[in-house]
Amino acid sequence: MRTLASPCSRRVLAVLFLTVAVGTAGPVNAQVPAPPAPASAQGTAGPRGFIVGQVLDRESGRPLEAANIVVLTTNARAQSDLDGRFRIPAPVGIHSIRVFRLGNTPTQIDSIRVQANTSTTANAVLATAALSLGAVAVTAGPVRASSEDAMLAMQKAAPRVSDGISAEGISRAPGADASDAIVRVTGVSIVDNKFAVVRGLAERYSNTLLNGVELPSPEPLKKIVPLDLFPSSLLESIVVSKTATPDRPGDFAGGSVEVTTKEFPNDPVAEVNVSTGYGSQATFRRVALLPQQGRDWLGFDDGNRRQMPAPIPSGPLNPNAEAFSERLRNIWTPKPQQVIPDLGAGLNLGGRFGGDEAPYGYSAAVTYSRQTDATPNRLSQLVFDKENGIPDQGYVSDEATSTVDLGVIVNLAARLGQTQKIGWKNLYTRNAEESLARGTGYETYNGTSERVTYQARYIARSLAQTQLTGDHLLGWFGDSRFEWKGTLAVSSRDEPENRSLIYFRNPSSGLLQLSASNPSPVWFRFLDDRVMSLQADWSLPLGFWYRDGAQFKSGALYRERDREFDAYFFRIWLDATSEGDAIAPLPPEQAFAPENLGAGLEVRREGEAALPYESDDDIGAAYMMVDLPVRSWLRVVGGLRREEWRLRLFQGTREAPIGAPTYKRTSDDLWSANATVSLSDRQNLRFAFAQTVARPDPREVSPDYFVAITGDCANRGNPEIDRSRIMNSDVRWEFYPGPGDLISISAFHKEFDKPIAELLTYPGSSLCTIEYFNLENARILGGEIELRRTLGFLPGPLRRLSLGLNVTLVDSKSTFRSSDEITLTYRLQGQSDALANLSLFYTDPDRGLDASLLFNHFTDRIVRYGIASVSNGEPQVVPNVMEQGRTSVDAKLRLRWGKGLSLSLSGRNLLDAEVIQYQDSDAGRTRTGYFRPGTTVSLGMGYALR
């Protein structure tokens, strides 16, 4: 096992600290722009607040530094910093500001309402103008100041096709994490309540960036990071980029999801909130739950009850086996207890000091939630024979899960004058869930018609990221800009307890009893992913050579990702002796009693189904790109990114590998071109073309078996799997009728070479498997429509309504070709033919009221392909596993009193939509999965201390 002090890691840290030194020291002796004149105190006697905002370039979307901002009523002045941000004092009342900058058309923003001791946001977008000493001022109409408006302004000026949701939109989502918010973005749906599916493509074709850097996933079977790890109250925005530019990682096809955490606020913040929730299937009901104690309420095991016992027995008849077995928890059927309502709490702190010229800021937040879920009568079965459609295995189970979520964020930033900024961002999230299940099922291929399974499982997932950033405007070097990021991220998934007891129905006696020939499984699994990366970007304005707004940008990225996976697999063996026969029919707690362990019942370690592995997954990348305003109406952004990828996987450990390591290495030249045609000040027509890739994850390469839950098919990797190459093309028309409004129509086409897919296989033995293969090719053709409209033209209170609608339609086809040249054609895995979101918002700031009603719908999609084998020239096909489409409805109501108190009422899955899976055979459709997630209602209260 390696530590952070490895030689390669030390080299990365050395380069990082050298970069910091160069980046911060460079401008010290340089001639930097003079600081802006201090804000005038004229007219600011008495109560006052602040006008804050950001100045953006309309054509490029980049922030504009050194823009001048004047409050027309007081003549107070300020200048934007290198992020285009400004903060200027103003007395309480209604004000107008004028924003101007050399080389840009000035603008005026009216009707800015300033309140005492608070900040009002007014963002400005400036168009490029020919330099003229006699330029005439252009005054804009009133601009409604809100972060949703800012998000749309940035989306309009972005170099790529993107959609996003701001902090304001996130706050309207009824859920508590990022997965509840991102589902409102055009073309996005959520799988398993946590994985983002963009444009209907499986989650493997997306990536997740946190503050601009890729993250390791704590899920062993998924490449993308689960979004339920991010508490929504910690987020500034979520932006999904759907086309590529060279300055971003190129390993995606559906979308690149960037999550940005909050920086320091403009005003002092001290807020506390508490909430309670009701789940229709658990709260106030009597549910069997595993007992909890110690630090369980925080999501941390105390290390005594769930830790894998030691010493570990190495095999059968080992002297350590009995002592090991006795240390396992012998709780299988706890007494049902009444479930209390869910609980949640949060604390947000933030502020700034040091003056407006060189402010220092901080932001800290802690979120906590605890909930209990129950899923009765959950159906899970599989059909392996396409002709008769009769299930070969299946279960109906009652499950109960206790979940604890904890999130902490601490961000520090310093703006050193108008030309430099240093930041330190830290995030830690933890999710711990303990589940207990009792299932009744059958396996026809095992020669038994009924079996009963008791299972207890505890999983703790965590993600920590610390990031040091710098942003420097180099006035001494052509007003170029140098940005750098040094990031360390660690994710883990600990499974210190996953134990089962399986009883079979004895056909002669009719009794349920343990079987000597079918031992019960016990798993211990631990996954650690460590990512260290260093990224640098340098941009140079080309106005001196070409025209204003032109820019050259280049940069490099180096990323080390080390994974360590440990697995220990045991079976609970019943001796075929008289002692074993006496134990077999006993209920779980009696059968597993200490006096029976080692005397008829034994826990033995088996290694063939759980082998550890370690891997190095490294990327080195460099790029060059240009951003050219070719004409006043045409902007072109394009360039080339080269990524060198290396994957080494050691079955066992690096020091003692089992067999030869798996080694993969590719070099990809990823080009991209984006063209934006400005049809008017409010209309864009975009064209985009790009080459991207999708690379396999280490788990998908490891030949080891991984069983997610007892009774499920085992996942097995494929060392021969190759990365996919994707050709992408997009066209989009977008129209911005007014602040907060958007109408857009998009079309996209993608061609896949060797797409990666999951295949459900059944080789005819007692073990079904889910394996990874490269299909031959695939293609998708789709379109998107989005409408966001404020309904201010309606009479009375209806003018406070706003409407959002987005629809995605996709047609896909993938081709599987076997070694015997048998060709099968299916839809692309994970692809829904249609996705739709409908949202209705009501906002009344005078009464402190806002409400949201949200609808989400997706159509049927393939969960796993069912290709098994080819025999005598004929494909032996297992029916595809499908997920039936469904519609969900969420709602939220929020009230504010005075300056501090707020109440919220939210509901999720108000229709209690069923989750259904099925398989189609020649004999018809068989429902193979079913459960009701239930409806959740939450009541929250918050209070701002300052």
Side-chain angles (χ1 to χ4, degrees), residues 205-259:
Y205 294 110
S206 298
N207 62 20
T208 304
L209 308 180
L210 177 62
N211 297 320
V213 176
E214 283 190 274
L215 288 175
S217 175
E219 295 289 342
L221 299 178
K222 300 293 184 181
K223 176 184 176 183
I224 194 172
V225 177
L227 292 175
D228 64 338
L229 284 176
F230 303 108
S232 57
S233 62
L234 307 184
L235 305 183
E236 181 68 28
S237 65
I238 305 173
V239 176
V240 180
S241 297
K242 299 176 180 177
T243 63
T245 52
D247 56 344
R248 299 174 69 90
D251 57 341
F252 75 94
S256 180
V257 180
E258 182 166 4
V259 179

Short mmCIF file of all heavy atoms in Angstrom, two decimals, residues 205-259:
data_model
loop_
_atom_site.label_atom_id
_atom_site.label_comp_id
_atom_site.label_asym_id
_atom_site.label_seq_id
_atom_site.Cartn_x
_atom_site.Cartn_y
_atom_site.Cartn_z
N TYR A 205 -20.74 7.83 -19.64
CA TYR A 205 -20.39 8.81 -20.66
C TYR A 205 -20.48 10.25 -20.15
O TYR A 205 -20.61 11.18 -20.93
CB TYR A 205 -21.28 8.62 -21.89
CG TYR A 205 -21.02 7.30 -22.58
CD1 TYR A 205 -21.95 6.27 -22.54
CD2 TYR A 205 -19.82 7.07 -23.25
CE1 TYR A 205 -21.71 5.06 -23.16
CE2 TYR A 205 -19.56 5.87 -23.87
CZ TYR A 205 -20.51 4.86 -23.82
OH TYR A 205 -20.24 3.66 -24.43
N SER A 206 -20.44 10.40 -18.84
CA SER A 206 -20.35 11.72 -18.24
C SER A 206 -19.18 11.73 -17.27
O SER A 206 -18.69 10.68 -16.86
CB SER A 206 -21.65 12.08 -17.49
OG SER A 206 -22.75 12.12 -18.36
N ASN A 207 -18.71 12.91 -16.94
CA ASN A 207 -17.72 13.03 -15.86
C ASN A 207 -18.16 14.11 -14.89
O ASN A 207 -19.04 14.91 -15.19
CB ASN A 207 -16.31 13.30 -16.41
CG ASN A 207 -16.21 14.62 -17.17
OD1 ASN A 207 -17.03 15.51 -17.04
ND2 ASN A 207 -15.19 14.74 -18.01
N THR A 208 -17.59 14.10 -13.71
CA THR A 208 -17.94 15.04 -12.66
C THR A 208 -16.71 15.85 -12.27
O THR A 208 -15.67 15.27 -11.94
CB THR A 208 -18.49 14.33 -11.42
OG1 THR A 208 -19.60 13.52 -11.79
CG2 THR A 208 -18.95 15.33 -10.37
N LEU A 209 -16.83 17.17 -12.32
CA LEU A 209 -15.77 18.07 -11.89
C LEU A 209 -16.25 18.81 -10.65
O LEU A 209 -17.38 19.32 -10.61
CB LEU A 209 -15.43 19.08 -12.99
CG LEU A 209 -15.13 18.54 -14.40
CD1 LEU A 209 -14.82 19.70 -15.35
CD2 LEU A 209 -13.97 17.56 -14.36
N LEU A 210 -15.42 18.88 -9.65
CA LEU A 210 -15.69 19.69 -8.47
C LEU A 210 -14.70 20.84 -8.47
O LEU A 210 -13.48 20.63 -8.39
CB LEU A 210 -15.55 18.88 -7.18
CG LEU A 210 -15.74 19.66 -5.88
CD1 LEU A 210 -17.14 20.25 -5.80
CD2 LEU A 210 -15.46 18.78 -4.67
N ASN A 211 -15.23 22.05 -8.61
CA ASN A 211 -14.39 23.25 -8.71
C ASN A 211 -13.34 23.10 -9.80
O ASN A 211 -12.18 23.48 -9.65
CB ASN A 211 -13.72 23.54 -7.36
CG ASN A 211 -14.72 23.84 -6.27
OD1 ASN A 211 -15.71 24.54 -6.51
ND2 ASN A 211 -14.49 23.32 -5.08
N GLY A 212 -13.76 22.51 -10.94
CA GLY A 212 -12.91 22.43 -12.12
C GLY A 212 -11.99 21.24 -12.20
O GLY A 212 -11.20 21.14 -13.15
N VAL A 213 -12.07 20.30 -11.26
CA VAL A 213 -11.14 19.17 -11.23
C VAL A 213 -11.94 17.88 -11.14
O VAL A 213 -12.92 17.79 -10.38
CB VAL A 213 -10.17 19.28 -10.04
CG1 VAL A 213 -9.26 18.06 -9.96
CG2 VAL A 213 -9.32 20.55 -10.17
N GLU A 214 -11.52 16.84 -11.90
CA GLU A 214 -12.19 15.55 -11.86
C GLU A 214 -12.04 14.91 -10.49
O GLU A 214 -11.02 15.06 -9.81
CB GLU A 214 -11.62 14.62 -12.92
CG GLU A 214 -12.11 14.92 -14.33
CD GLU A 214 -11.72 13.83 -15.30
OE1 GLU A 214 -10.60 13.91 -15.83
OE2 GLU A 214 -12.51 12.92 -15.53
N LEU A 215 -13.06 14.15 -10.11
CA LEU A 215 -13.10 13.53 -8.80
C LEU A 215 -13.03 12.01 -8.91
O LEU A 215 -13.51 11.43 -9.89
CB LEU A 215 -14.40 13.89 -8.08
CG LEU A 215 -14.53 15.32 -7.56
CD1 LEU A 215 -15.93 15.52 -7.00
CD2 LEU A 215 -13.50 15.61 -6.50
N PRO A 216 -12.47 11.35 -7.91
CA PRO A 216 -12.56 9.88 -7.86
C PRO A 216 -13.92 9.48 -7.32
O PRO A 216 -14.53 10.18 -6.52
CB PRO A 216 -11.45 9.51 -6.87
CG PRO A 216 -11.34 10.69 -5.96
CD PRO A 216 -11.65 11.91 -6.81
N SER A 217 -14.40 8.33 -7.77
CA SER A 217 -15.71 7.87 -7.33
C SER A 217 -15.58 6.86 -6.20
O SER A 217 -14.76 5.95 -6.28
CB SER A 217 -16.47 7.22 -8.50
OG SER A 217 -17.70 6.68 -8.05
N PRO A 218 -16.39 6.99 -5.15
CA PRO A 218 -16.38 5.99 -4.08
C PRO A 218 -17.23 4.77 -4.40
O PRO A 218 -17.42 3.92 -3.54
CB PRO A 218 -16.94 6.76 -2.89
CG PRO A 218 -17.88 7.74 -3.50
CD PRO A 218 -17.28 8.12 -4.83
N GLU A 219 -17.75 4.68 -5.62
CA GLU A 219 -18.56 3.54 -6.02
C GLU A 219 -17.72 2.59 -6.85
O GLU A 219 -17.21 2.98 -7.91
CB GLU A 219 -19.78 4.00 -6.82
CG GLU A 219 -20.76 4.84 -6.03
CD GLU A 219 -21.51 4.01 -5.00
OE1 GLU A 219 -21.54 2.78 -5.12
OE2 GLU A 219 -22.07 4.62 -4.07
N PRO A 220 -17.54 1.35 -6.43
CA PRO A 220 -16.67 0.43 -7.17
C PRO A 220 -17.18 0.06 -8.54
O PRO A 220 -16.40 -0.34 -9.40
CB PRO A 220 -16.60 -0.80 -6.25
CG PRO A 220 -17.83 -0.73 -5.42
CD PRO A 220 -18.12 0.72 -5.24
N LEU A 221 -18.49 0.18 -8.79
CA LEU A 221 -19.06 -0.25 -10.06
C LEU A 221 -19.42 0.93 -10.96
O LEU A 221 -20.02 0.73 -12.01
CB LEU A 221 -20.29 -1.11 -9.83
CG LEU A 221 -20.07 -2.41 -9.06
CD1 LEU A 221 -21.37 -3.15 -8.85
CD2 LEU A 221 -19.06 -3.31 -9.78
N LYS A 222 -19.08 2.16 -10.57
CA LYS A 222 -19.45 3.32 -11.35
C LYS A 222 -18.23 4.21 -11.55
O LYS A 222 -17.41 4.40 -10.64
CB LYS A 222 -20.56 4.13 -10.68
CG LYS A 222 -21.85 3.34 -10.45
CD LYS A 222 -22.54 3.00 -11.76
CE LYS A 222 -23.87 2.31 -11.49
NZ LYS A 222 -24.56 1.93 -12.74
N LYS A 223 -18.14 4.79 -12.74
CA LYS A 223 -17.05 5.72 -13.03
C LYS A 223 -17.36 7.12 -12.51
O LYS A 223 -16.48 7.81 -12.01
CB LYS A 223 -16.83 5.77 -14.54
CG LYS A 223 -15.79 6.78 -14.99
CD LYS A 223 -15.70 6.83 -16.50
CE LYS A 223 -14.74 7.91 -16.97
NZ LYS A 223 -14.69 8.00 -18.44
N ILE A 224 -18.63 7.53 -12.61
CA ILE A 224 -19.00 8.88 -12.24
C ILE A 224 -19.25 8.98 -10.74
O ILE A 224 -19.64 7.99 -10.09
CB ILE A 224 -20.24 9.33 -13.03
CG1 ILE A 224 -20.45 10.84 -12.93
CG2 ILE A 224 -21.46 8.57 -12.58
CD1 ILE A 224 -21.54 11.35 -13.84
N VAL A 225 -19.03 10.15 -10.18
CA VAL A 225 -19.23 10.37 -8.75
C VAL A 225 -20.73 10.50 -8.47
O VAL A 225 -21.45 11.22 -9.17
CB VAL A 225 -18.50 11.65 -8.30
CG1 VAL A 225 -18.77 11.95 -6.84
CG2 VAL A 225 -17.00 11.51 -8.55
N PRO A 226 -21.25 9.82 -7.45
CA PRO A 226 -22.67 9.97 -7.10
C PRO A 226 -22.95 11.37 -6.57
O PRO A 226 -22.27 11.86 -5.67
CB PRO A 226 -22.89 8.90 -6.03
CG PRO A 226 -21.53 8.63 -5.46
CD PRO A 226 -20.56 8.85 -6.58
N LEU A 227 -23.97 12.02 -7.10
CA LEU A 227 -24.26 13.40 -6.74
C LEU A 227 -24.95 13.53 -5.40
O LEU A 227 -25.06 14.63 -4.87
CB LEU A 227 -25.12 14.04 -7.84
CG LEU A 227 -24.40 14.23 -9.17
CD1 LEU A 227 -25.38 14.77 -10.21
CD2 LEU A 227 -23.21 15.16 -9.05
N ASP A 228 -25.41 12.42 -4.83
CA ASP A 228 -26.04 12.52 -3.51
C ASP A 228 -25.03 12.78 -2.41
O ASP A 228 -25.40 12.98 -1.26
CB ASP A 228 -26.86 11.27 -3.20
CG ASP A 228 -26.01 10.01 -3.11
OD1 ASP A 228 -24.89 9.99 -3.66
OD2 ASP A 228 -26.46 9.04 -2.48
N LEU A 229 -23.74 12.82 -2.75
CA LEU A 229 -22.71 13.14 -1.77
C LEU A 229 -22.59 14.64 -1.51
O LEU A 229 -21.95 15.05 -0.54
CB LEU A 229 -21.34 12.61 -2.24
CG LEU A 229 -21.09 11.11 -2.11
CD1 LEU A 229 -19.74 10.75 -2.70
CD2 LEU A 229 -21.17 10.66 -0.67
N PHE A 230 -23.20 15.47 -2.38
CA PHE A 230 -23.03 16.92 -2.28
C PHE A 230 -24.28 17.57 -1.70
O PHE A 230 -25.30 17.67 -2.39
CB PHE A 230 -22.72 17.53 -3.64
CG PHE A 230 -21.52 16.96 -4.31
CD1 PHE A 230 -21.64 16.14 -5.42
CD2 PHE A 230 -20.25 17.22 -3.84
CE1 PHE A 230 -20.55 15.59 -6.04
CE2 PHE A 230 -19.13 16.68 -4.46
CZ PHE A 230 -19.28 15.86 -5.56
N PRO A 231 -24.25 18.02 -0.45
CA PRO A 231 -25.40 18.74 0.10
C PRO A 231 -25.67 20.01 -0.71
O PRO A 231 -24.75 20.78 -1.02
CB PRO A 231 -24.96 19.07 1.53
CG PRO A 231 -23.90 18.06 1.86
CD PRO A 231 -23.18 17.82 0.56
N SER A 232 -26.91 20.22 -1.08
CA SER A 232 -27.23 21.32 -1.97
C SER A 232 -26.95 22.68 -1.35
O SER A 232 -26.67 23.64 -2.07
CB SER A 232 -28.71 21.24 -2.39
OG SER A 232 -29.56 21.24 -1.26
N SER A 233 -27.00 22.80 -0.04
CA SER A 233 -26.77 24.09 0.60
C SER A 233 -25.33 24.55 0.49
O SER A 233 -25.03 25.72 0.76
CB SER A 233 -27.18 24.03 2.07
OG SER A 233 -26.39 23.09 2.77
N LEU A 234 -24.42 23.67 0.08
CA LEU A 234 -23.02 24.04 -0.04
C LEU A 234 -22.64 24.47 -1.45
O LEU A 234 -21.49 24.82 -1.70
CB LEU A 234 -22.12 22.86 0.36
CG LEU A 234 -22.37 22.21 1.72
CD1 LEU A 234 -21.33 21.14 1.98
CD2 LEU A 234 -22.37 23.24 2.83
N LEU A 235 -23.61 24.47 -2.38
CA LEU A 235 -23.28 24.63 -3.79
C LEU A 235 -23.60 26.02 -4.30
O LEU A 235 -24.62 26.62 -3.94
CB LEU A 235 -24.03 23.59 -4.62
CG LEU A 235 -23.83 22.13 -4.20
CD1 LEU A 235 -24.57 21.21 -5.15
CD2 LEU A 235 -22.36 21.77 -4.13
N GLU A 236 -22.74 26.52 -5.17
CA GLU A 236 -22.95 27.79 -5.85
C GLU A 236 -23.68 27.59 -7.17
O GLU A 236 -24.55 28.37 -7.54
CB GLU A 236 -21.60 28.48 -6.09
CG GLU A 236 -21.70 29.83 -6.78
CD GLU A 236 -22.35 30.89 -5.91
OE1 GLU A 236 -22.26 30.78 -4.68
OE2 GLU A 236 -22.98 31.80 -6.47
N SER A 237 -23.32 26.53 -7.89
CA SER A 237 -23.96 26.26 -9.18
C SER A 237 -23.63 24.85 -9.63
O SER A 237 -22.67 24.23 -9.15
CB SER A 237 -23.51 27.27 -10.24
OG SER A 237 -22.12 27.13 -10.50
N ILE A 238 -24.43 24.36 -10.57
CA ILE A 238 -24.15 23.11 -11.28
C ILE A 238 -24.33 23.41 -12.76
O ILE A 238 -25.40 23.85 -13.19
CB ILE A 238 -25.10 21.97 -10.87
CG1 ILE A 238 -25.08 21.76 -9.36
CG2 ILE A 238 -24.72 20.68 -11.58
CD1 ILE A 238 -26.13 20.75 -8.88
N VAL A 239 -23.28 23.21 -13.54
CA VAL A 239 -23.32 23.49 -14.97
C VAL A 239 -22.98 22.22 -15.73
O VAL A 239 -22.00 21.54 -15.41
CB VAL A 239 -22.33 24.62 -15.36
CG1 VAL A 239 -22.32 24.83 -16.86
CG2 VAL A 239 -22.70 25.91 -14.64
N VAL A 240 -23.81 21.87 -16.71
CA VAL A 240 -23.58 20.70 -17.55
C VAL A 240 -23.15 21.18 -18.93
O VAL A 240 -23.96 21.79 -19.66
CB VAL A 240 -24.85 19.83 -17.65
CG1 VAL A 240 -24.58 18.61 -18.53
CG2 VAL A 240 -25.31 19.40 -16.26
N SER A 241 -21.89 20.94 -19.28
CA SER A 241 -21.39 21.28 -20.61
C SER A 241 -21.65 20.10 -21.54
O SER A 241 -21.25 18.98 -21.26
CB SER A 241 -19.88 21.58 -20.55
OG SER A 241 -19.63 22.72 -19.76
N LYS A 242 -22.29 20.38 -22.67
CA LYS A 242 -22.69 19.31 -23.59
C LYS A 242 -21.82 19.25 -24.84
O LYS A 242 -21.94 18.30 -25.61
CB LYS A 242 -24.16 19.49 -23.96
CG LYS A 242 -25.08 19.39 -22.74
CD LYS A 242 -26.53 19.66 -23.09
CE LYS A 242 -27.41 19.55 -21.86
NZ LYS A 242 -28.83 19.87 -22.15
N THR A 243 -21.01 20.26 -25.05
CA THR A 243 -20.01 20.19 -26.11
C THR A 243 -18.65 20.47 -25.51
O THR A 243 -18.53 21.03 -24.41
CB THR A 243 -20.32 21.21 -27.24
OG1 THR A 243 -20.26 22.54 -26.70
CG2 THR A 243 -21.69 20.96 -27.82
N ALA A 244 -17.62 20.09 -26.22
CA ALA A 244 -16.26 20.12 -25.69
C ALA A 244 -15.50 21.36 -26.16
O ALA A 244 -15.73 21.87 -27.25
CB ALA A 244 -15.50 18.86 -26.10
N THR A 245 -14.60 21.82 -25.32
CA THR A 245 -13.56 22.78 -25.68
C THR A 245 -12.23 22.23 -25.19
O THR A 245 -12.19 21.43 -24.24
CB THR A 245 -13.84 24.17 -25.07
OG1 THR A 245 -14.06 24.03 -23.66
CG2 THR A 245 -15.04 24.84 -25.71
N PRO A 246 -11.12 22.62 -25.82
CA PRO A 246 -9.84 22.00 -25.47
C PRO A 246 -9.39 22.21 -24.03
O PRO A 246 -8.52 21.47 -23.55
CB PRO A 246 -8.86 22.65 -26.46
CG PRO A 246 -9.70 23.09 -27.61
CD PRO A 246 -11.00 23.51 -26.99
N ASP A 247 -9.91 23.21 -23.33
CA ASP A 247 -9.44 23.49 -21.98
C ASP A 247 -10.15 22.65 -20.92
O ASP A 247 -9.94 22.87 -19.73
CB ASP A 247 -9.61 24.98 -21.64
CG ASP A 247 -11.04 25.47 -21.81
OD1 ASP A 247 -11.84 24.78 -22.47
OD2 ASP A 247 -11.36 26.56 -21.29
N ARG A 248 -10.96 21.67 -21.32
CA ARG A 248 -11.65 20.81 -20.37
C ARG A 248 -11.34 19.35 -20.69
O ARG A 248 -11.06 19.00 -21.85
CB ARG A 248 -13.17 21.04 -20.43
CG ARG A 248 -13.58 22.45 -20.07
CD ARG A 248 -15.05 22.64 -20.29
NE ARG A 248 -15.83 21.89 -19.32
CZ ARG A 248 -16.23 22.36 -18.15
NH1 ARG A 248 -15.90 23.60 -17.78
NH2 ARG A 248 -16.94 21.63 -17.31
N PRO A 249 -11.36 18.48 -19.67
CA PRO A 249 -11.10 17.05 -19.92
C PRO A 249 -12.02 16.51 -21.01
O PRO A 249 -13.21 16.85 -21.07
CB PRO A 249 -11.37 16.40 -18.56
CG PRO A 249 -11.14 17.49 -17.56
CD PRO A 249 -11.58 18.76 -18.24
N GLY A 250 -11.46 15.63 -21.86
CA GLY A 250 -12.19 15.16 -23.02
C GLY A 250 -12.79 13.79 -22.87
O GLY A 250 -13.18 13.18 -23.88
N ASP A 251 -12.89 13.26 -21.64
CA ASP A 251 -13.44 11.91 -21.48
C ASP A 251 -14.92 11.98 -21.12
O ASP A 251 -15.34 11.61 -20.03
CB ASP A 251 -12.65 11.13 -20.42
CG ASP A 251 -12.61 11.83 -19.08
OD1 ASP A 251 -12.85 13.04 -19.03
OD2 ASP A 251 -12.35 11.15 -18.07
N PHE A 252 -15.75 12.44 -22.05
CA PHE A 252 -17.19 12.43 -21.86
C PHE A 252 -17.84 12.50 -23.24
O PHE A 252 -17.21 12.87 -24.24
CB PHE A 252 -17.66 13.60 -20.99
CG PHE A 252 -17.67 14.94 -21.68
CD1 PHE A 252 -18.82 15.42 -22.29
CD2 PHE A 252 -16.53 15.72 -21.70
CE1 PHE A 252 -18.82 16.65 -22.93
CE2 PHE A 252 -16.52 16.96 -22.33
CZ PHE A 252 -17.67 17.43 -22.95
N ALA A 253 -19.11 12.11 -23.27
CA ALA A 253 -19.89 12.23 -24.50
C ALA A 253 -21.25 12.85 -24.22
O ALA A 253 -21.73 13.68 -24.97
CB ALA A 253 -20.06 10.86 -25.15
N GLY A 254 -21.88 12.41 -23.11
CA GLY A 254 -23.18 12.97 -22.77
C GLY A 254 -23.05 14.38 -22.21
O GLY A 254 -23.65 15.33 -22.72
N GLY A 255 -22.26 14.53 -21.16
CA GLY A 255 -22.09 15.84 -20.56
C GLY A 255 -20.99 15.83 -19.51
O GLY A 255 -20.67 14.80 -18.93
N SER A 256 -20.43 16.99 -19.30
CA SER A 256 -19.44 17.20 -18.25
C SER A 256 -20.11 18.02 -17.15
O SER A 256 -20.47 19.18 -17.36
CB SER A 256 -18.20 17.94 -18.80
OG SER A 256 -17.25 18.15 -17.79
N VAL A 257 -20.30 17.40 -15.99
CA VAL A 257 -21.04 18.02 -14.89
C VAL A 257 -20.04 18.71 -13.96
O VAL A 257 -19.20 18.04 -13.35
CB VAL A 257 -21.85 16.96 -14.11
CG1 VAL A 257 -22.61 17.62 -12.96
CG2 VAL A 257 -22.80 16.22 -15.04
N GLU A 258 -20.13 20.03 -13.87
CA GLU A 258 -19.23 20.79 -12.99
C GLU A 258 -20.01 21.33 -11.80
O GLU A 258 -20.95 22.11 -11.96
CB GLU A 258 -18.55 21.93 -13.72
CG GLU A 258 -17.58 22.69 -12.82
CD GLU A 258 -16.64 23.61 -13.57
OE1 GLU A 258 -16.79 23.71 -14.80
OE2 GLU A 258 -15.77 24.22 -12.93
N VAL A 259 -19.59 20.90 -10.62
CA VAL A 259 -20.18 21.34 -9.37
C VAL A 259 -19.26 22.38 -8.76
O VAL A 259 -18.06 22.12 -8.59
CB VAL A 259 -20.38 20.16 -8.41
CG1 VAL A 259 -20.98 20.63 -7.09
CG2 VAL A 259 -21.27 19.08 -9.05
#
